Amino acid sequence: MDLAYIPSPSSGVIDLGPIPLRGYAFCIIIGVFVAVWYGGRRWVARGGQVGTVADIAVWAVPFGLIGGRLYHVITDYQLYFGDGKDWVDAFKIWEGGLGIWGAIALGAVGAWIGCRRRGIPLPAYADALAPGIAFAQAIGRWGNWFNQELFGKATDVPWALKIDADPGTGTLAGTYHPTFLYESLWCVGVALLVIWADRRFTLGHGRAFALYVAAYTVGRFWTEYLRVDEAHEVLGLRLNNWTAVVVFLAAVAYIVLSSRVSPGRETVVEPAAVAVTGATGAAADTDGAADAAGPVDTTKGEPRDAAEDTAPDAKTPGGATADSPEASKKG
């Protein structure tokens, strides 16, 4: 008898009147909002304009969703094609199935398009967004909890996840390792690591993003190893394990080479923001110069001498000044 375990939702859909709210989609949407919001704050802190991250996300997010789904369908094609399968199910993204590798790869293409349209370096944008992406993954993993999917091996630990029987997949009712929870917590740790390292070492030129990738793949390797869902294997390891190894090595190599080629951090991340700041500064300088020049003679349009403002206009009724010879004779 299990004394403690994490219960699973009986259904992944919550009906809000006539509108069905799917837990998986809800988690993905919340994760995207968090990534854009936090990425926007980091972008502004680095000298960018408000709204730039959201504008580029309009390109990155759809590309990322398409890429994530394509990776999942291609690597798990047996779930959608073949005898007894309906290929239309490949489009039912709300039922689960997004590969992070494809999401990041194609999402980067969308971000590159958006960055080019704004004249922004992609590495700087990726650095600003890196911890937000990790937080988004932490939230998105709870979508697997709603769908009762991607759990690990059977276990009786107090934090085990209770799974219902599923004749369609052959899953037996019982308690299993909650790999969704492991990866969610790991992603939170990755986000905090990137934030700390970015402040401590002033990362730039894409190195904060590369650190996120490298750190994430380490956690993904061991959570993937625990999973028992059907997957293709190569030399005894799941395909995603090999992907994690390759991506980890590529991320570490990028950090090393980038540090040598482009040390430090970008001084300008968004030229448009600098142009706005420069124009404001120029206007302020112009105002200051006008103040220094003194008041303007409205009759001539030229600055008056300060002495003219301070000297008394002591003309006598006759038109002569008080110290003129004519004035002395009349006095």
Side-chain angles (χ1 to χ4, degrees):
M1 179 179 180
D2 298 315
L3 298 179
Y5 57 81
I6 301 173
S8 290
S10 57
S11 173
V13 181
I14 301 175
D15 292 319
L16 300 178
I19 303 176
L21 177 63
R22 299 184 180 277
Y24 185 87
F26 180 73
C27 291
I28 296 297
I29 293 172
I30 295 299
V32 169
F33 272 105
V34 169
V36 173
W37 168 76
Y38 190 61
R41 291 188 58 183
R42 284 173 53 85
W43 182 254
V44 172
R46 292 191 60 178
Q49 289 183 308
V50 176
T52 295
V53 168
D55 290 344
I56 297 176
V58 172
W59 289 90
V61 172
F63 273 72
L65 291 175
I66 294 172
R69 189 60 175 176
L70 282 175
Y71 180 89
H72 168 73
V73 172
I74 292 173
T75 56
D76 290 311
Y77 61 86
Q78 74 281 356
L79 301 177
Y80 307 101
F81 305 100
D83 295 337
K85 303 297 181 181
D86 187 355
W87 62 272
V88 176
D89 292 341
F91 297 94
K92 297 179 180 179
I93 191 173
W94 56 86
E95 294 182 354
L98 287 175
I100 186 61
W101 316 114
I104 294 297
L106 208 57
V109 174
W112 174 77
I113 295 173
C115 285
R116 278 186 62 87
R117 291 169 60 89
R118 297 291 293 261
I120 292 172
L122 177 61
Y125 179 82
D127 282 344
L129 213 60
I133 295 176
F135 282 132
Q137 287 180 255
I139 297 171
R141 272 305 174 197
W142 284 84
N144 301 134
W145 176 64
F146 279 100
N147 286 352
Q148 292 197 34
E149 61 184 359
L150 307 186
F151 46 84
K153 302 174 182 178
T155 183
D156 58 358
V157 295
W159 57 86
L161 177 66
K162 186 176 182 180
I163 296 295
D164 298 327
D166 185 355
T169 60
T171 301
L172 301 177
T175 55
Y176 299 82
H177 276 289
T179 51
F180 85 92
L181 178 60
Y182 298 160
E183 187 166 334
S184 180
L185 295 175
W186 182 268
C187 286
V188 171
V190 169
L192 296 177
L193 170 65
V194 174
I195 293 171
W196 170 82
D198 197 23
R199 293 175 178 173
R200 175 66 177 81
F201 302 106
T202 316
L203 301 176
H205 300 283
R207 289 188 287 276
F209 183 81
L211 176 61
Y212 143 71
V213 172
Y216 169 73
T217 56
V218 173
R220 179 59 183 268
F221 185 91
W222 69 268
T223 56
E224 188 73 25
Y225 185 76
L226 287 175
R227 282 166 50 172
V228 294
D229 54 299
E230 184 180 359
H232 296 288
E233 294 188 356
V234 178
L235 300 178
L237 285 178
R238 294 164 66 96
L239 178 60
N240 281 331
N241 283 119
W242 285 109
T243 304
V245 171
V246 172
V247 174
F248 172 81
L249 294 176
V252 172
Y254 179 88
I255 293 174
V256 174
L257 294 176
S258 175
S259 299
R260 295 177 180 178
V261 175
S262 303
R265 175 185 283 180
E266 301 92 339
T267 56
V268 176
V269 296
E270 188 168 3
V274 176
V276 171
T277 303
T280 304
D285 291 344
T286 302
D287 293 341
D291 293 339
V296 176
D297 189 337
T298 56
T299 61
K300 299 180 180 179
E302 299 176 353
R304 298 198 307 267
D305 194 303
E308 296 181 18
D309 295 331
T310 58
D313 190 5
K315 289 187 178 180
T316 64
T321 59
D323 58 350
S324 65
E326 292 81 357
S328 60
K329 291 178 182 178
K330 294 181 180 178

PDB file of all heavy atoms in Angstrom, residues 185-218:
ATOM      1  N   LEU A 185      11.851  21.052 -12.007  1.00  0.00           N
ATOM      2  CA  LEU A 185      12.737  21.600 -10.975  1.00  0.00           C
ATOM      3  C   LEU A 185      14.129  21.867 -11.530  1.00  0.00           C
ATOM      4  O   LEU A 185      14.768  22.864 -11.168  1.00  0.00           O
ATOM      5  CB  LEU A 185      12.807  20.634  -9.788  1.00  0.00           C
ATOM      6  CG  LEU A 185      11.503  20.437  -9.011  1.00  0.00           C
ATOM      7  CD1 LEU A 185      11.675  19.357  -7.948  1.00  0.00           C
ATOM      8  CD2 LEU A 185      11.052  21.745  -8.381  1.00  0.00           C
ATOM      9  N   TRP A 186      14.593  20.982 -12.399  1.00  0.00           N
ATOM     10  CA  TRP A 186      15.913  21.180 -13.004  1.00  0.00           C
ATOM     11  C   TRP A 186      15.936  22.454 -13.845  1.00  0.00           C
ATOM     12  O   TRP A 186      16.906  23.217 -13.804  1.00  0.00           O
ATOM     13  CB  TRP A 186      16.286  19.975 -13.869  1.00  0.00           C
ATOM     14  CG  TRP A 186      17.659  20.091 -14.475  1.00  0.00           C
ATOM     15  CD1 TRP A 186      17.979  20.609 -15.691  1.00  0.00           C
ATOM     16  CD2 TRP A 186      18.891  19.709 -13.867  1.00  0.00           C
ATOM     17  NE1 TRP A 186      19.337  20.565 -15.894  1.00  0.00           N
ATOM     18  CE2 TRP A 186      19.922  20.017 -14.790  1.00  0.00           C
ATOM     19  CE3 TRP A 186      19.224  19.116 -12.648  1.00  0.00           C
ATOM     20  CZ2 TRP A 186      21.268  19.752 -14.516  1.00  0.00           C
ATOM     21  CZ3 TRP A 186      20.561  18.856 -12.372  1.00  0.00           C
ATOM     22  CH2 TRP A 186      21.568  19.184 -13.306  1.00  0.00           C
ATOM     23  N   CYS A 187      14.869  22.707 -14.585  1.00  0.00           N
ATOM     24  CA  CYS A 187      14.810  23.909 -15.425  1.00  0.00           C
ATOM     25  C   CYS A 187      14.819  25.182 -14.581  1.00  0.00           C
ATOM     26  O   CYS A 187      15.426  26.186 -14.974  1.00  0.00           O
ATOM     27  CB  CYS A 187      13.564  23.874 -16.300  1.00  0.00           C
ATOM     28  SG  CYS A 187      13.670  22.691 -17.672  1.00  0.00           S
ATOM     29  N   VAL A 188      14.159  25.150 -13.424  1.00  0.00           N
ATOM     30  CA  VAL A 188      14.212  26.303 -12.522  1.00  0.00           C
ATOM     31  C   VAL A 188      15.651  26.534 -12.072  1.00  0.00           C
ATOM     32  O   VAL A 188      16.135  27.669 -12.041  1.00  0.00           O
ATOM     33  CB  VAL A 188      13.292  26.088 -11.303  1.00  0.00           C
ATOM     34  CG1 VAL A 188      13.507  27.191 -10.263  1.00  0.00           C
ATOM     35  CG2 VAL A 188      11.831  26.065 -11.739  1.00  0.00           C
ATOM     36  N   GLY A 189      16.348  25.440 -11.734  1.00  0.00           N
ATOM     37  CA  GLY A 189      17.752  25.560 -11.340  1.00  0.00           C
ATOM     38  C   GLY A 189      18.619  26.095 -12.464  1.00  0.00           C
ATOM     39  O   GLY A 189      19.534  26.906 -12.228  1.00  0.00           O
ATOM     40  N   VAL A 190      18.350  25.674 -13.696  1.00  0.00           N
ATOM     41  CA  VAL A 190      19.111  26.160 -14.849  1.00  0.00           C
ATOM     42  C   VAL A 190      18.902  27.660 -15.022  1.00  0.00           C
ATOM     43  O   VAL A 190      19.849  28.417 -15.282  1.00  0.00           O
ATOM     44  CB  VAL A 190      18.686  25.410 -16.130  1.00  0.00           C
ATOM     45  CG1 VAL A 190      19.274  26.076 -17.370  1.00  0.00           C
ATOM     46  CG2 VAL A 190      19.139  23.961 -16.061  1.00  0.00           C
ATOM     47  N   ALA A 191      17.661  28.116 -14.894  1.00  0.00           N
ATOM     48  CA  ALA A 191      17.370  29.543 -15.030  1.00  0.00           C
ATOM     49  C   ALA A 191      18.134  30.359 -13.983  1.00  0.00           C
ATOM     50  O   ALA A 191      18.726  31.396 -14.301  1.00  0.00           O
ATOM     51  CB  ALA A 191      15.865  29.787 -14.896  1.00  0.00           C
ATOM     52  N   LEU A 192      18.122  29.889 -12.742  1.00  0.00           N
ATOM     53  CA  LEU A 192      18.828  30.607 -11.675  1.00  0.00           C
ATOM     54  C   LEU A 192      20.339  30.588 -11.914  1.00  0.00           C
ATOM     55  O   LEU A 192      21.034  31.576 -11.628  1.00  0.00           O
ATOM     56  CB  LEU A 192      18.497  29.974 -10.320  1.00  0.00           C
ATOM     57  CG  LEU A 192      17.026  30.063  -9.896  1.00  0.00           C
ATOM     58  CD1 LEU A 192      16.810  29.345  -8.564  1.00  0.00           C
ATOM     59  CD2 LEU A 192      16.574  31.509  -9.803  1.00  0.00           C
ATOM     60  N   LEU A 193      20.855  29.478 -12.448  1.00  0.00           N
ATOM     61  CA  LEU A 193      22.283  29.394 -12.761  1.00  0.00           C
ATOM     62  C   LEU A 193      22.667  30.420 -13.815  1.00  0.00           C
ATOM     63  O   LEU A 193      23.694  31.113 -13.683  1.00  0.00           O
ATOM     64  CB  LEU A 193      22.629  27.983 -13.253  1.00  0.00           C
ATOM     65  CG  LEU A 193      24.040  27.793 -13.845  1.00  0.00           C
ATOM     66  CD1 LEU A 193      25.096  28.005 -12.756  1.00  0.00           C
ATOM     67  CD2 LEU A 193      24.183  26.414 -14.475  1.00  0.00           C
ATOM     68  N   VAL A 194      21.864  30.542 -14.864  1.00  0.00           N
ATOM     69  CA  VAL A 194      22.163  31.489 -15.943  1.00  0.00           C
ATOM     70  C   VAL A 194      22.104  32.924 -15.419  1.00  0.00           C
ATOM     71  O   VAL A 194      22.954  33.753 -15.749  1.00  0.00           O
ATOM     72  CB  VAL A 194      21.184  31.298 -17.118  1.00  0.00           C
ATOM     73  CG1 VAL A 194      21.390  32.381 -18.172  1.00  0.00           C
ATOM     74  CG2 VAL A 194      21.377  29.924 -17.750  1.00  0.00           C
ATOM     75  N   ILE A 195      21.107  33.221 -14.598  1.00  0.00           N
ATOM     76  CA  ILE A 195      20.991  34.568 -14.031  1.00  0.00           C
ATOM     77  C   ILE A 195      22.219  34.908 -13.202  1.00  0.00           C
ATOM     78  O   ILE A 195      22.786  36.001 -13.309  1.00  0.00           O
ATOM     79  CB  ILE A 195      19.711  34.669 -13.178  1.00  0.00           C
ATOM     80  CG1 ILE A 195      18.469  34.555 -14.073  1.00  0.00           C
ATOM     81  CG2 ILE A 195      19.680  35.999 -12.412  1.00  0.00           C
ATOM     82  CD1 ILE A 195      17.178  34.437 -13.298  1.00  0.00           C
ATOM     83  N   TRP A 196      22.635  33.967 -12.352  1.00  0.00           N
ATOM     84  CA  TRP A 196      23.817  34.202 -11.508  1.00  0.00           C
ATOM     85  C   TRP A 196      25.073  34.369 -12.349  1.00  0.00           C
ATOM     86  O   TRP A 196      25.851  35.303 -12.144  1.00  0.00           O
ATOM     87  CB  TRP A 196      23.994  33.041 -10.530  1.00  0.00           C
ATOM     88  CG  TRP A 196      25.299  33.102  -9.806  1.00  0.00           C
ATOM     89  CD1 TRP A 196      25.609  33.848  -8.704  1.00  0.00           C
ATOM     90  CD2 TRP A 196      26.505  32.408 -10.166  1.00  0.00           C
ATOM     91  NE1 TRP A 196      26.915  33.657  -8.340  1.00  0.00           N
ATOM     92  CE2 TRP A 196      27.492  32.786  -9.218  1.00  0.00           C
ATOM     93  CE3 TRP A 196      26.835  31.500 -11.174  1.00  0.00           C
ATOM     94  CZ2 TRP A 196      28.795  32.279  -9.274  1.00  0.00           C
ATOM     95  CZ3 TRP A 196      28.133  31.007 -11.221  1.00  0.00           C
ATOM     96  CH2 TRP A 196      29.097  31.399 -10.286  1.00  0.00           C
ATOM     97  N   ALA A 197      25.299  33.452 -13.281  1.00  0.00           N
ATOM     98  CA  ALA A 197      26.515  33.485 -14.094  1.00  0.00           C
ATOM     99  C   ALA A 197      26.562  34.743 -14.955  1.00  0.00           C
ATOM    100  O   ALA A 197      27.629  35.332 -15.163  1.00  0.00           O
ATOM    101  CB  ALA A 197      26.587  32.244 -14.982  1.00  0.00           C
ATOM    102  N   ASP A 198      25.407  35.175 -15.450  1.00  0.00           N
ATOM    103  CA  ASP A 198      25.359  36.379 -16.284  1.00  0.00           C
ATOM    104  C   ASP A 198      25.763  37.608 -15.482  1.00  0.00           C
ATOM    105  O   ASP A 198      26.452  38.498 -15.985  1.00  0.00           O
ATOM    106  CB  ASP A 198      23.943  36.542 -16.850  1.00  0.00           C
ATOM    107  CG  ASP A 198      23.895  37.501 -18.021  1.00  0.00           C
ATOM    108  OD1 ASP A 198      24.945  37.698 -18.671  1.00  0.00           O
ATOM    109  OD2 ASP A 198      22.825  38.064 -18.288  1.00  0.00           O
ATOM    110  N   ARG A 199      25.333  37.672 -14.228  1.00  0.00           N
ATOM    111  CA  ARG A 199      25.712  38.801 -13.379  1.00  0.00           C
ATOM    112  C   ARG A 199      27.168  38.700 -12.930  1.00  0.00           C
ATOM    113  O   ARG A 199      27.864  39.711 -12.840  1.00  0.00           O
ATOM    114  CB  ARG A 199      24.802  38.850 -12.153  1.00  0.00           C
ATOM    115  CG  ARG A 199      23.347  39.181 -12.477  1.00  0.00           C
ATOM    116  CD  ARG A 199      22.478  39.105 -11.234  1.00  0.00           C
ATOM    117  NE  ARG A 199      21.089  39.471 -11.525  1.00  0.00           N
ATOM    118  CZ  ARG A 199      20.096  39.368 -10.644  1.00  0.00           C
ATOM    119  NH1 ARG A 199      20.357  38.934  -9.407  1.00  0.00           N
ATOM    120  NH2 ARG A 199      18.883  39.716 -10.983  1.00  0.00           N
ATOM    121  N   ARG A 200      27.595  37.499 -12.650  1.00  0.00           N
ATOM    122  CA  ARG A 200      28.953  37.299 -12.118  1.00  0.00           C
ATOM    123  C   ARG A 200      30.029  37.474 -13.179  1.00  0.00           C
ATOM    124  O   ARG A 200      31.075  38.079 -12.934  1.00  0.00           O
ATOM    125  CB  ARG A 200      29.053  35.896 -11.500  1.00  0.00           C
ATOM    126  CG  ARG A 200      30.439  35.493 -11.011  1.00  0.00           C
ATOM    127  CD  ARG A 200      30.869  36.350  -9.837  1.00  0.00           C
ATOM    128  NE  ARG A 200      32.163  35.933  -9.326  1.00  0.00           N
ATOM    129  CZ  ARG A 200      33.334  36.271  -9.855  1.00  0.00           C
ATOM    130  NH1 ARG A 200      33.378  37.055 -10.929  1.00  0.00           N
ATOM    131  NH2 ARG A 200      34.459  35.849  -9.324  1.00  0.00           N
ATOM    132  N   PHE A 201      29.784  36.968 -14.385  1.00  0.00           N
ATOM    133  CA  PHE A 201      30.815  36.958 -15.419  1.00  0.00           C
ATOM    134  C   PHE A 201      30.493  37.867 -16.607  1.00  0.00           C
ATOM    135  O   PHE A 201      31.236  37.877 -17.588  1.00  0.00           O
ATOM    136  CB  PHE A 201      31.035  35.526 -15.923  1.00  0.00           C
ATOM    137  CG  PHE A 201      31.437  34.569 -14.837  1.00  0.00           C
ATOM    138  CD1 PHE A 201      30.529  33.641 -14.344  1.00  0.00           C
ATOM    139  CD2 PHE A 201      32.710  34.603 -14.288  1.00  0.00           C
ATOM    140  CE1 PHE A 201      30.883  32.755 -13.339  1.00  0.00           C
ATOM    141  CE2 PHE A 201      33.078  33.716 -13.278  1.00  0.00           C
ATOM    142  CZ  PHE A 201      32.162  32.799 -12.802  1.00  0.00           C
ATOM    143  N   THR A 202      29.392  38.601 -16.550  1.00  0.00           N
ATOM    144  CA  THR A 202      28.988  39.518 -17.622  1.00  0.00           C
ATOM    145  C   THR A 202      29.025  38.802 -18.973  1.00  0.00           C
ATOM    146  O   THR A 202      29.778  39.152 -19.877  1.00  0.00           O
ATOM    147  CB  THR A 202      29.903  40.759 -17.654  1.00  0.00           C
ATOM    148  OG1 THR A 202      30.107  41.234 -16.327  1.00  0.00           O
ATOM    149  CG2 THR A 202      29.269  41.866 -18.486  1.00  0.00           C
ATOM    150  N   LEU A 203      28.201  37.790 -19.113  1.00  0.00           N
ATOM    151  CA  LEU A 203      28.188  36.984 -20.332  1.00  0.00           C
ATOM    152  C   LEU A 203      27.595  37.770 -21.496  1.00  0.00           C
ATOM    153  O   LEU A 203      26.681  38.575 -21.324  1.00  0.00           O
ATOM    154  CB  LEU A 203      27.376  35.706 -20.101  1.00  0.00           C
ATOM    155  CG  LEU A 203      27.863  34.794 -18.971  1.00  0.00           C
ATOM    156  CD1 LEU A 203      26.910  33.621 -18.800  1.00  0.00           C
ATOM    157  CD2 LEU A 203      29.275  34.303 -19.244  1.00  0.00           C
ATOM    158  N   GLY A 204      28.112  37.522 -22.668  1.00  0.00           N
ATOM    159  CA  GLY A 204      27.625  38.201 -23.858  1.00  0.00           C
ATOM    160  C   GLY A 204      27.839  37.369 -25.100  1.00  0.00           C
ATOM    161  O   GLY A 204      28.395  36.270 -25.053  1.00  0.00           O
ATOM    162  N   HIS A 205      27.382  37.869 -26.226  1.00  0.00           N
ATOM    163  CA  HIS A 205      27.583  37.232 -27.542  1.00  0.00           C
ATOM    164  C   HIS A 205      27.047  35.803 -27.586  1.00  0.00           C
ATOM    165  O   HIS A 205      27.645  34.921 -28.204  1.00  0.00           O
ATOM    166  CB  HIS A 205      29.063  37.260 -27.917  1.00  0.00           C
ATOM    167  CG  HIS A 205      29.635  38.640 -28.007  1.00  0.00           C
ATOM    168  ND1 HIS A 205      29.414  39.482 -29.070  1.00  0.00           N
ATOM    169  CD2 HIS A 205      30.394  39.347 -27.113  1.00  0.00           C
ATOM    170  CE1 HIS A 205      30.025  40.645 -28.861  1.00  0.00           C
ATOM    171  NE2 HIS A 205      30.613  40.598 -27.682  1.00  0.00           N
ATOM    172  N   GLY A 206      25.916  35.558 -26.898  1.00  0.00           N
ATOM    173  CA  GLY A 206      25.280  34.249 -26.960  1.00  0.00           C
ATOM    174  C   GLY A 206      25.748  33.254 -25.919  1.00  0.00           C
ATOM    175  O   GLY A 206      25.250  32.121 -25.884  1.00  0.00           O
ATOM    176  N   ARG A 207      26.666  33.637 -25.054  1.00  0.00           N
ATOM    177  CA  ARG A 207      27.204  32.673 -24.089  1.00  0.00           C
ATOM    178  C   ARG A 207      26.223  32.351 -22.960  1.00  0.00           C
ATOM    179  O   ARG A 207      26.255  31.237 -22.418  1.00  0.00           O
ATOM    180  CB  ARG A 207      28.538  33.174 -23.533  1.00  0.00           C
ATOM    181  CG  ARG A 207      29.660  33.118 -24.565  1.00  0.00           C
ATOM    182  CD  ARG A 207      31.003  33.441 -23.959  1.00  0.00           C
ATOM    183  NE  ARG A 207      31.155  34.850 -23.637  1.00  0.00           N
ATOM    184  CZ  ARG A 207      31.530  35.770 -24.515  1.00  0.00           C
ATOM    185  NH1 ARG A 207      31.784  35.431 -25.773  1.00  0.00           N
ATOM    186  NH2 ARG A 207      31.665  37.037 -24.157  1.00  0.00           N
ATOM    187  N   ALA A 208      25.368  33.290 -22.583  1.00  0.00           N
ATOM    188  CA  ALA A 208      24.350  32.996 -21.574  1.00  0.00           C
ATOM    189  C   ALA A 208      23.367  31.949 -22.115  1.00  0.00           C
ATOM    190  O   ALA A 208      22.964  31.022 -21.402  1.00  0.00           O
ATOM    191  CB  ALA A 208      23.606  34.262 -21.173  1.00  0.00           C
ATOM    192  N   PHE A 209      23.016  32.084 -23.377  1.00  0.00           N
ATOM    193  CA  PHE A 209      22.117  31.107 -23.995  1.00  0.00           C
ATOM    194  C   PHE A 209      22.802  29.747 -24.111  1.00  0.00           C
ATOM    195  O   PHE A 209      22.183  28.704 -23.862  1.00  0.00           O
ATOM    196  CB  PHE A 209      21.695  31.592 -25.378  1.00  0.00           C
ATOM    197  CG  PHE A 209      20.718  30.688 -26.067  1.00  0.00           C
ATOM    198  CD1 PHE A 209      19.364  30.746 -25.756  1.00  0.00           C
ATOM    199  CD2 PHE A 209      21.137  29.764 -27.015  1.00  0.00           C
ATOM    200  CE1 PHE A 209      18.448  29.904 -26.378  1.00  0.00           C
ATOM    201  CE2 PHE A 209      20.236  28.920 -27.639  1.00  0.00           C
ATOM    202  CZ  PHE A 209      18.885  28.993 -27.324  1.00  0.00           C
ATOM    203  N   ALA A 210      24.075  29.746 -24.475  1.00  0.00           N
ATOM    204  CA  ALA A 210      24.815  28.485 -24.587  1.00  0.00           C
ATOM    205  C   ALA A 210      24.922  27.800 -23.233  1.00  0.00           C
ATOM    206  O   ALA A 210      24.860  26.563 -23.143  1.00  0.00           O
ATOM    207  CB  ALA A 210      26.196  28.743 -25.173  1.00  0.00           C
ATOM    208  N   LEU A 211      25.094  28.580 -22.165  1.00  0.00           N
ATOM    209  CA  LEU A 211      25.142  28.003 -20.818  1.00  0.00           C
ATOM    210  C   LEU A 211      23.806  27.360 -20.468  1.00  0.00           C
ATOM    211  O   LEU A 211      23.769  26.262 -19.885  1.00  0.00           O
ATOM    212  CB  LEU A 211      25.483  29.094 -19.798  1.00  0.00           C
ATOM    213  CG  LEU A 211      25.466  28.651 -18.325  1.00  0.00           C
ATOM    214  CD1 LEU A 211      26.499  27.558 -18.083  1.00  0.00           C
ATOM    215  CD2 LEU A 211      25.718  29.849 -17.409  1.00  0.00           C
ATOM    216  N   TYR A 212      22.721  28.026 -20.813  1.00  0.00           N
ATOM    217  CA  TYR A 212      21.395  27.437 -20.590  1.00  0.00           C
ATOM    218  C   TYR A 212      21.266  26.098 -21.317  1.00  0.00           C
ATOM    219  O   TYR A 212      20.788  25.106 -20.746  1.00  0.00           O
ATOM    220  CB  TYR A 212      20.306  28.406 -21.053  1.00  0.00           C
ATOM    221  CG  TYR A 212      19.110  27.737 -21.689  1.00  0.00           C
ATOM    222  CD1 TYR A 212      18.207  27.002 -20.926  1.00  0.00           C
ATOM    223  CD2 TYR A 212      18.903  27.812 -23.071  1.00  0.00           C
ATOM    224  CE1 TYR A 212      17.124  26.370 -21.520  1.00  0.00           C
ATOM    225  CE2 TYR A 212      17.834  27.192 -23.664  1.00  0.00           C
ATOM    226  CZ  TYR A 212      16.940  26.467 -22.892  1.00  0.00           C
ATOM    227  OH  TYR A 212      15.884  25.825 -23.483  1.00  0.00           O
ATOM    228  N   VAL A 213      21.683  26.058 -22.571  1.00  0.00           N
ATOM    229  CA  VAL A 213      21.583  24.830 -23.364  1.00  0.00           C
ATOM    230  C   VAL A 213      22.415  23.713 -22.744  1.00  0.00           C
ATOM    231  O   VAL A 213      21.940  22.581 -22.578  1.00  0.00           O
ATOM    232  CB  VAL A 213      22.030  25.088 -24.817  1.00  0.00           C
ATOM    233  CG1 VAL A 213      22.112  23.774 -25.594  1.00  0.00           C
ATOM    234  CG2 VAL A 213      21.063  26.043 -25.509  1.00  0.00           C
ATOM    235  N   ALA A 214      23.665  24.027 -22.378  1.00  0.00           N
ATOM    236  CA  ALA A 214      24.548  23.012 -21.815  1.00  0.00           C
ATOM    237  C   ALA A 214      24.005  22.474 -20.490  1.00  0.00           C
ATOM    238  O   ALA A 214      24.001  21.260 -20.254  1.00  0.00           O
ATOM    239  CB  ALA A 214      25.947  23.597 -21.610  1.00  0.00           C
ATOM    240  N   ALA A 215      23.542  23.371 -19.636  1.00  0.00           N
ATOM    241  CA  ALA A 215      23.030  22.945 -18.334  1.00  0.00           C
ATOM    242  C   ALA A 215      21.747  22.130 -18.476  1.00  0.00           C
ATOM    243  O   ALA A 215      21.539  21.131 -17.767  1.00  0.00           O
ATOM    244  CB  ALA A 215      22.790  24.164 -17.439  1.00  0.00           C
ATOM    245  N   TYR A 216      20.892  22.549 -19.391  1.00  0.00           N
ATOM    246  CA  TYR A 216      19.638  21.818 -19.572  1.00  0.00           C
ATOM    247  C   TYR A 216      19.888  20.395 -20.057  1.00  0.00           C
ATOM    248  O   TYR A 216      19.252  19.446 -19.592  1.00  0.00           O
ATOM    249  CB  TYR A 216      18.730  22.537 -20.569  1.00  0.00           C
ATOM    250  CG  TYR A 216      17.556  21.689 -20.977  1.00  0.00           C
ATOM    251  CD1 TYR A 216      16.502  21.464 -20.098  1.00  0.00           C
ATOM    252  CD2 TYR A 216      17.520  21.077 -22.234  1.00  0.00           C
ATOM    253  CE1 TYR A 216      15.432  20.653 -20.462  1.00  0.00           C
ATOM    254  CE2 TYR A 216      16.451  20.268 -22.605  1.00  0.00           C
ATOM    255  CZ  TYR A 216      15.411  20.057 -21.717  1.00  0.00           C
ATOM    256  OH  TYR A 216      14.362  19.245 -22.072  1.00  0.00           O
ATOM    257  N   THR A 217      20.816  20.224 -20.993  1.00  0.00           N
ATOM    258  CA  THR A 217      21.052  18.890 -21.556  1.00  0.00           C
ATOM    259  C   THR A 217      21.555  17.904 -20.503  1.00  0.00           C
ATOM    260  O   THR A 217      21.276  16.707 -20.595  1.00  0.00           O
ATOM    261  CB  THR A 217      22.069  18.960 -22.709  1.00  0.00           C
ATOM    262  OG1 THR A 217      23.279  19.573 -22.243  1.00  0.00           O
ATOM    263  CG2 THR A 217      21.530  19.766 -23.870  1.00  0.00           C
ATOM    264  N   VAL A 218      22.282  18.410 -19.511  1.00  0.00           N
ATOM    265  CA  VAL A 218      22.758  17.517 -18.439  1.00  0.00           C
ATOM    266  C   VAL A 218      21.571  16.919 -17.688  1.00  0.00           C
ATOM    267  O   VAL A 218      21.500  15.704 -17.455  1.00  0.00           O
ATOM    268  CB  VAL A 218      23.681  18.278 -17.465  1.00  0.00           C
ATOM    269  CG1 VAL A 218      24.041  17.403 -16.267  1.00  0.00           C
ATOM    270  CG2 VAL A 218      24.944  18.732 -18.179  1.00  0.00           C
TER     271      VAL A 218
END
